[in-house]
């Protein structure tokens, strides 16, 4: 008897500037998941528009009562949601809460872990309590003000001013002079309701992917990120102005320490599915946390697929493991 294939929703879009990146990740994930095992659908979310894309110009609305849709008179319910929205509502716990309410298994971290990792300042301060090294930083909310003198005194120059909640380097500025501080804050506030001001750390930028199931732990090889620009900005990430070297040009001992720290952070926060953690290696081989990506980019050229290839793993098998782990152990 032929086994009935599960219906998988690959959820893309969102309500932030990262919508276009999310759409690209959805296509990557669509190509990575085994179509022999699952029926795959891309679901686009943008504000109140929740639609299944059946063809290039064919869309059917989602019934939000149970996250189903009707096609040719037949009701189709999803068995699993693979979330690849970068930004709200798919990276900050909102969508995760909805799926838990309707009892639909999903790929990413739970509500708490998603909300925490999405808030860069809160996450870094939380992990600082566990001994994780972070840069000096402060956070300001919309409606509050800060002077140039306060930034220089408390954080120093150069520094990074960035949206506290967001990704893909939208709204991020590397600030070198006092005159750049207030315009950079204004730019960051266009992307989020709170802004993080973070001291510059001189060093080597690296990133490490990780996923765990009930049966196994996989910490991927480390990638060294060498941007041609001032920092790893949007153009570097998505327009090729960067060298991504996997495995990173660091010592075996340091690589092992980074992988151990990545695994520990995964457990401390209570992550699920696939994550990627970015670090700066500063003088004396010190490992400083930059941020945690709970729904990392998954285009064919993204960092995680590169690390999977470097590890000699089959990405389809990896995706199957992540999906089956959640299907077998509902939260």
């Amino acid at each position: 008897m032929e086994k009935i294939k599960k219906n998988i929703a690959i959820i893309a879009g969102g309500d932030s500037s990262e919508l276009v990146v999310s759409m690209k990740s959805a296509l990557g994930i669509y190509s990575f998941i085994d179509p022999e095992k699952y029926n795959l659908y891309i679901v686009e979310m943008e504000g109140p528009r929740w639609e299944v894309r059946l063809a290039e110009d064919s869309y059917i609305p989602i019934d939000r009562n149970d996250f189903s849709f009707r096609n040719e008179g037949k009701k189709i319910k999803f068995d699993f949601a693979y979330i690849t929205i970068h930004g709200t509502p798919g990276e900050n716990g909102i969508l995760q809460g909805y799926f838990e309410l309707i009892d639909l298994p999903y790929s990413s971290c739970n509500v708490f872990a998603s909300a925490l990792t999405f808030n860069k300042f809160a996450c870094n301060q939380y992990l600082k309590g566990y001994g994780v090294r972070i840069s000096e930083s402060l956070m300001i909310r919309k409606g509050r003000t800060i002077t140039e003198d306060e930034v220089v005194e408390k954080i120093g120059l150069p520094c990074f001013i960035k949206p506290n909640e967001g990704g893909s380097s939208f709204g991020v500025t590397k600030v070198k002079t006092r005159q750049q501080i207030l315009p950079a804050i204004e730019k960051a506030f266009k992307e989020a309701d709170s802004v993080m001001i973070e001291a510059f750390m001189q060093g080597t930028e690296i990133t490490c992917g990780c996923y765990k199931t009930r049966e196994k732990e996989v910490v991927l090889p480390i990638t060294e990120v060498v941007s041609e620009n001032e920092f790893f900005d949007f153009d570097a990430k998505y327009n090729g102005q960067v060298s991504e070297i996997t495995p990173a040009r660091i010592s075996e001992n340091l690589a092992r320490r980074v992988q151990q720290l990545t695994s520990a952070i995964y457990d401390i926060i209570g992550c699920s599915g696939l994550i990627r953690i970015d670090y700066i290696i500063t003088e004396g081989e010190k490992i400083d946390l930059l941020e945690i990506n709970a729904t990392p980019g998954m285009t064919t050229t993204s960092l995680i697929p590169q690390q999977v290839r470097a590890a000699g793993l089959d990405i389809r098998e990896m995706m199957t493991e992540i999906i089956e782990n959640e299907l077998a152990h509902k939260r």
Side-chain angles (χ1 to χ4, degrees):
M1 183 177 177
E2 187 178 350
K3 186 178 179 181
I4 298 174
K5 293 197 289 187
K6 301 285 189 182
N7 295 323
I8 307 292
I10 300 168
I11 303 173
D15 303 324
S16 75
S17 298
E18 293 188 90
L19 182 146
V20 64
V21 180
S22 172
M23 294 299 191
K24 291 180 180 179
S25 285
L27 295 176
I29 290 168
Y30 190 94
S31 71
F32 297 148
I33 297 177
D34 191 346
E36 297 297 318
K37 290 186 170 70
Y38 309 103
N39 297 317
L40 305 176
Y41 300 88
I42 292 178
V43 175
E44 296 183 7
M45 292 184 177
E46 185 178 4
R49 183 178 74 86
W50 291 22
E51 296 178 324
V52 180
R53 188 171 75 197
L54 296 183
E56 192 65 35
D57 296 310
S58 176
Y59 294 86
I60 296 176
I62 289 283
D63 181 347
R64 299 191 194 192
N65 290 300
D66 58 3
F67 205 69
S68 66
F69 68 98
R70 300 193 74 87
N71 187 27
E72 298 178 349
K74 181 182 177 182
K75 181 173 181 173
I76 298 174
K77 292 190 69 174
F78 289 109
D79 301 292
F80 183 85
Y82 199 105
I83 302 171
T84 188
I85 290 177
H86 311 307
T88 187
E91 198 171 6
N92 57 0
I94 294 173
L95 197 54
Q96 288 80 358
Y98 164 75
F99 286 139
E100 291 192 11
L101 285 171
I102 65 169
D103 198 29
L104 181 67
Y106 56 90
S107 59
S108 65
C109 296
N110 63 22
V111 175
F112 170 74
S114 296
L116 179 62
T117 54
F118 192 62
N119 187 312
K120 297 180 178 69
F121 184 81
C123 187
N124 285 9
Q125 296 301 318
Y126 179 79
L127 289 170
K128 182 180 180 181
Y130 286 88
V132 177
R133 289 176 53 91
I134 63 168
S135 178
E136 284 295 319
S137 63
L138 57 85
M139 188 261 290
I140 52 173
R141 299 190 187 278
K142 192 165 281 188
R144 301 293 179 126
T145 59
I146 191 169
T147 66
E148 297 164 347
D149 287 341
E150 287 176 301
V151 172
V152 172
E153 181 184 338
K154 294 177 181 178
I155 301 299
L157 294 175
C159 67
F160 280 99
I161 296 179
K162 62 180 76 172
N164 186 41
E165 300 178 317
S168 295
S169 298
F170 284 108
V172 178
T173 306
K174 183 178 180 181
V175 171
K176 296 180 179 179
T177 67
R178 300 168 69 94
Q179 292 74 25
Q180 293 175 308
I181 293 172
L182 297 183
I185 292 172
E186 184 180 351
K187 177 183 175 182
F189 269 132
K190 291 178 181 177
E191 298 289 334
D193 289 333
S194 59
V195 167
M196 182 176 178
I197 304 174
E198 187 175 38
F200 172 71
M201 295 180 286
Q202 182 69 47
T204 302
E205 184 166 349
I206 61 168
T207 186
C208 182
C210 177
Y211 76 94
K212 299 186 183 187
T213 66
R214 271 70 173 181
E215 289 73 37
K216 66 190 295 187
E217 167 186 300
V218 177
V219 184
L220 296 168
I222 297 159
T223 300
E224 179 182 347
V225 177
V226 184
S227 176
E228 296 174 11
N229 302 338
E230 276 284 349
F231 62 97
F232 194 32
D233 61 8
F234 183 88
D235 282 331
K237 287 174 178 174
Y238 302 110
N239 295 326
Q241 297 170 10
V242 66
S243 296
E244 295 164 350
I245 303 160
T246 310
R249 298 170 298 183
I250 58 177
S251 68
E252 287 185 18
N253 176 60
L254 178 56
R256 185 169 56 252
R257 287 169 51 214
V258 170
Q259 289 176 317
Q260 288 172 344
L261 179 58
T262 299
S263 177
I265 290 173
Y266 191 106
D267 292 338
I268 289 167
I269 292 177
C271 293
S272 300
L274 186 61
I275 70 163
R276 199 191 78 233
I277 305 182
D278 302 338
Y279 305 95
I280 290 281
I281 304 300
T282 54
E283 189 175 357
E285 292 197 339
K286 295 183 176 68
I287 307 167
D288 293 81
L289 175 70
L290 280 178
E291 63 180 78
I292 299 168
N293 302 276
T295 57
M298 287 292 283
T299 69
T300 53
T301 58
S302 291
L303 292 161
I304 289 289
Q306 291 181 43
Q307 294 176 5
V308 171
R309 289 192 292 271
L313 300 176
D314 185 310
I315 198 161
R316 281 196 171 176
E317 289 180 6
M318 182 187 79
M319 300 298 276
T320 298
E321 287 176 357
I322 290 170
I323 293 167
E324 292 299 321
N325 180 67
E326 296 301 333
L327 287 173
H329 306 87
K330 283 191 176 182
R331 303 171 200 232

